Amino acid sequence: MENQEIEVILVEDNIDDATLVIRALKKNNLANNLIHLKDGVEALDFVFGTGTYENDGLQNQSPKVMFLDLKMPRVNGLEVLEKIKADPKTKSIPVVILTSSAEDPDIKKCYELGANSYIVKPVEFDSFIKAVSELGLYWLIRNHPSK
Amino acid sequence: MKNIILENKTALQQLVSAIQELSLSKDLETVMKIVRSVAKNITGADGATFILRDGDMCYYAEEEAISPLWKGQRFQMSECISGWVMLNKQSTVIEDIYSDPRIPIEAYKPTFVKSLAMVPIRTVAPIGAIGNYWAEQHLPTKHELEMLQSLADITAVSIENLNTLSNLEKTVKQRTQELEFANQELESFSYSVSHDLRAPLRAITGYMRMLEEDHSEILNEDAKQLVEKSLTNAKKMNELIEGMLQLSRMGRKELIKAPVAMKQLAENVFKSLSENGEHKSIDLTIDNLPNVQADETLIRQVWTNYISNAIKYSSHKSTSKIHIGSQESEDKITYFVKDNGAGFDMKYSDKLFGVFQRLHSPEEFEGTGVGLSIVKTIAKKHGGNVWADATPNEGATFYFSLPKD
């Protein structure tokens, strides 16, 4: 794990939601190179190598996808998304929004800010497949070596 | 003699037309402007002022004169002739202001005034005064003074009406604001409650699934059934929360009105509902429905709820009969969906459109009890209404009315 590149970033403050997402990813052999960040502050620190992740964090890696919860304390998902998409170094990271309702008005805002797709929680296999397919990342599931 | 009558008539006519104008004025500024001009004209004065009482002060609010007087200035009640008129509740005429001790000479020196007449506005507890001024020594006639006092009396009534009106408007505005606030609070409350309620529910469902999928080898049949029942209930709760969310969204949504082709819309809704169900054939009659100005997305929701109910509650009959029609009156159009299904007892009809109210058990007919309250919210938002008619086991008719534009 240590020497492997981070492929999946999960930003989710709710520990139960995170557990379920990680399980869904595991079932698809996707949770191996995953990092779980517990709120927006951690996410930004990790992505930009600041705070607790100073001289560490993402560095020159290019993760395949970020799953980003919207409703988080301190710095929320919209703010994280805005910062990531505004920086040329990070804007190419595909971001999939995690929301608790398909009717969430924030989804529109997310797309305006450059989000690539969204999944309504609970994250189950079907919705997961749909979201990654939309991203053109279907190979990520199929070609991943099973362990 | 002829001339005087003519002048009087003109003054009287002026007074009459002032009364008419005053009765139409909507604010104090207009009232004051009308009064000061008319006051000057009916006495043939060289200037007129409109003074308002402001606590211990006389406020010279308006004026019309051959040269400036005191507009915008304030004087102590005790040091001003308008104050004297208000405090003594009586009018006064001063032919030579320089020989009257009540006059603050310094204030008059810069002006043209030699003579004046002053009448109080409202004789019981005066709220102001009207002043008339002459550049040459002059004594207004008794008749002129009477007309001036009449004008002041009418002014008092106008101002009181204005106050009543503005108080009423303030009260209405305040009440409306309070209501809007309470409504917003309630809606955002129910929205966040429904939102936050879903997180633990997701966890319950998720962990139950994990139990079912990852530990099935240690669960016996009984345990598996309990897991299944828990999942079913969690699903039911999720549907209830979804209903609440839908209802609160509906309450907050702004109407986007456009002409709606009602017959086409009802047909489309029926088609999509009868297609995706595993229903037997349904005997549908659909009349020519008048179009209406409304929010199509929301009206589609109304038809969806009514028609799906009609299909659901008539599904136990050998043949489902559904009739969609309308009635038109002068100011509204009423649409209805009639079925030959289970119906309900009319004594419970007041509960029908309440949130989470159900007249049938879930074993009989599935449902969360949110659909009809959503219909009601939509109709009310359009300024319309909902109601129903039924006979148990013979069928029900559900109505919604929308105003004609």
Side-chain angles (χ1 to χ4, degrees):
Chain A
M1 172 88 197
E2 274 153 61
N3 298 323
Q4 275 180 319
E5 279 205 358
I6 293 295
E7 290 192 324
V8 179
I9 302 173
L10 171 64
V11 188
E12 170 66 80
D13 66 309
N14 185 314
I15 195 69
D16 298 310
D17 279 338
T19 308
L20 297 171
V21 174
I22 293 170
R23 180 172 176 271
L25 295 177
K26 254 188 195 152
K27 284 208 143 189
N28 300 289
N29 296 315
L30 272 168
N32 298 311
N33 303 329
L34 174 141
I35 183 163
H36 172 206
L37 304 164
K38 291 173 185 67
D39 61 33
V41 176
E42 254 189 54
L44 290 176
D45 278 349
F46 177 77
V47 169
F48 294 108
T50 52
T52 42
Y53 288 97
E54 204 172 348
N55 304 320
D56 192 11
L58 204 48
Q59 305 276 6
N60 295 317
Q61 304 180 42
S62 46
K64 305 252 172 9
V65 64
M66 172 187 269
F67 292 99
L68 179 63
D69 182 33
L70 285 183
K71 229 178 136 192
M72 292 184 295
R74 300 203 286 170
V75 175
N76 67 34
L78 274 177
E79 294 168 278
V80 173
L81 179 66
E82 194 173 6
K83 292 224 165 80
I84 288 178
K85 291 296 180 185
D87 192 315
K89 289 198 294 285
T90 51
K91 73 173 180 195
S92 58
I93 303 173
V95 177
V96 178
I97 297 301
L98 301 176
T99 171
S100 50
S101 162
E103 307 278 342
D104 195 333
D106 283 342
I107 293 174
K108 194 169 164 267
K109 270 185 237 159
C110 288
Y111 275 116
E112 281 163 9
L113 288 174
N116 300 75
S117 183
Y118 76 92
I119 299 181
V120 177
K121 294 191 268 192
V123 180
E124 280 167 356
F125 188 62
D126 293 347
S127 55
F128 178 76
I129 294 282
K130 188 170 162 281
V132 278
S133 307
E134 268 174 22
L135 286 179
L137 289 175
Y138 196 65
W139 54 268
L140 195 125
I141 311 166
R142 276 190 316 187
N143 297 342
H144 210 281
S146 4
K147 293 185 179 165
Chain B
M1 189 65 198
K2 204 182 167 189
N3 244 347
I4 292 168
I5 293 171
L6 208 69
E7 268 171 28
N8 284 349
K9 207 177 166 188
T10 317
L12 198 63
Q13 278 176 338
Q14 291 225 25
L15 190 61
V16 170
S17 73
I19 295 169
Q20 286 168 342
E21 279 185 61
L22 285 174
S23 71
L24 296 174
S25 20
K26 297 246 161 28
D27 55 73
L28 190 59
E29 279 69 38
T30 318
V31 168
M32 293 194 297
K33 283 203 174 90
I34 295 167
V35 171
R36 57 136 157 91
S37 308
V38 175
K40 185 169 161 277
N41 291 344
I42 54 180
T43 58
D46 297 315
T49 55
F50 194 113
I51 303 122
L52 284 170
R53 180 169 184 171
D54 182 6
D56 288 338
M57 308 292 275
C58 310
Y59 171 52
Y60 281 71
E62 266 296 343
E63 69 183 30
E64 186 174 297
I66 50 171
S67 65
L69 293 168
W70 311 277
K71 186 174 169 178
Q73 296 187 46
R74 275 166 222 271
F75 301 95
Q76 286 287 337
M77 291 282 278
S78 50
E79 291 167 11
C80 178
I81 191 68
S82 63
W84 184 91
V85 162
M86 285 188 252
L87 292 170
N88 292 278
K89 299 166 188 165
Q90 56 175 284
S91 62
T92 186
V93 174
I94 304 173
E95 194 176 7
D96 176 13
I97 59 155
Y98 291 98
S99 65
D100 194 303
R102 294 171 297 175
I103 294 293
I105 297 298
E106 291 308 312
Y108 281 75
K109 268 186 185 162
T111 71
F112 65 84
V113 180
K114 296 280 188 316
S115 306
L116 68 77
M118 184 75 70
V119 292
I121 297 174
R122 199 166 80 178
T123 35
V124 189
I127 50 173
I130 301 169
N132 271 11
Y133 310 89
W134 288 268
E136 303 294 330
Q137 284 217 353
H138 177 85
L139 205 57
T141 63
K142 188 168 168 266
H143 183 69
E144 284 171 339
L145 212 57
E146 275 171 6
M147 280 205 289
L148 200 59
Q149 188 60 61
S150 303
L151 178 66
D153 294 345
I154 293 150
T155 306
V157 175
S158 302
I159 292 177
E160 271 166 28
N161 284 347
L162 278 182
N163 286 342
T164 314
L165 198 69
S166 99
N167 282 342
L168 207 63
E169 276 173 358
K170 260 185 228 157
T171 314
V172 170
K173 213 171 155 189
Q174 198 190 340
R175 290 278 182 285
T176 313
Q177 268 178 354
E178 281 168 8
L179 272 175
E180 275 171 3
F181 182 70
N183 215 12
Q184 272 174 9
E185 282 274 280
L186 195 67
E187 274 158 10
S188 72
F189 172 76
S190 66
Y191 184 78
S192 55
V193 162
S194 335
H195 236 247
D196 296 344
L197 282 178
R198 300 177 95 192
L201 193 59
R202 265 200 312 273
I204 294 172
T205 309
Y207 291 132
M208 280 291 168
R209 286 250 164 78
M210 282 167 80
L211 193 61
E212 203 178 35
E213 289 170 20
D214 302 351
H215 306 280
S216 63
E217 71 279 2
I218 58 160
L219 294 178
N220 63 23
E221 277 315 302
D222 262 5
K224 277 180 190 162
Q225 261 195 29
L226 292 178
V227 169
E228 215 37 63
K229 279 184 180 162
S230 305
L231 278 170
T232 311
N233 276 289
K235 185 172 167 247
K236 225 175 257 172
M237 182 156 169
N238 195 45
E239 279 165 7
L240 288 173
I241 293 172
E242 188 54 48
M244 256 172 85
L245 263 177
Q246 237 185 327
L247 195 62
S248 94
R249 267 199 296 273
M250 212 59 82
R252 286 179 307 167
K253 194 177 182 298
E254 266 183 46
L255 293 184
I256 305 162
K257 285 192 183 181
V260 180
M262 285 300 244
K263 187 179 183 190
Q264 209 183 336
L265 183 61
E267 273 172 347
N268 287 344
V269 168
F270 178 81
K271 226 171 125 190
S272 65
L273 286 173
S274 51
E275 262 170 14
N276 62 27
E278 63 285 357
H279 308 285
K280 55 191 187 325
S281 70
I282 297 163
D283 181 358
L284 174 76
T285 314
I286 179 157
D287 300 345
N288 219 355
L289 305 174
N291 294 346
V292 73
Q293 191 79 13
D295 188 315
E296 181 159 345
T297 321
L298 296 186
I299 298 302
R300 174 184 291 273
Q301 181 88 48
V302 172
W303 284 119
T304 306
N305 279 307
Y306 271 7
I307 296 173
S308 65
N309 273 357
I311 295 174
K312 178 163 79 180
Y313 290 104
S314 63
S315 59
H316 293 187
K317 296 276 161 144
S318 53
T319 329
S320 292
K321 279 187 193 159
I322 296 174
H323 176 197
I324 299 171
S326 64
Q327 295 151 3
E328 216 170 326
S329 73
E330 202 181 311
D331 55 345
K332 64 180 182 184
I333 309 169
T334 301
Y335 301 91
F336 64 82
V337 179
K338 185 174 167 36
D339 67 58
N340 65 336
F344 59 87
D345 192 332
M346 279 301 280
K347 79 178 167 201
Y348 304 118
S349 64
D350 58 325
K351 289 188 175 174
L352 211 51
F353 291 92
V355 189
F356 297 136
Q357 296 283 357
R358 300 214 60 219
L359 301 186
H360 299 275
S361 71
E363 286 74 30
E364 258 184 304
F365 297 103
E366 277 186 359
T368 54
V370 179
L372 289 182
S373 55
I374 288 175
V375 170
K376 184 178 172 182
T377 307
I378 294 172
K380 291 277 179 192
K381 266 186 101 89
H382 280 85
N385 211 349
V386 289
W387 66 99
D389 245 338
T391 314
N393 299 319
E394 281 180 28
T397 309
F398 281 84
Y399 302 87
F400 68 97
S401 67
L402 296 172
K404 288 183 177 172
D405 32 45

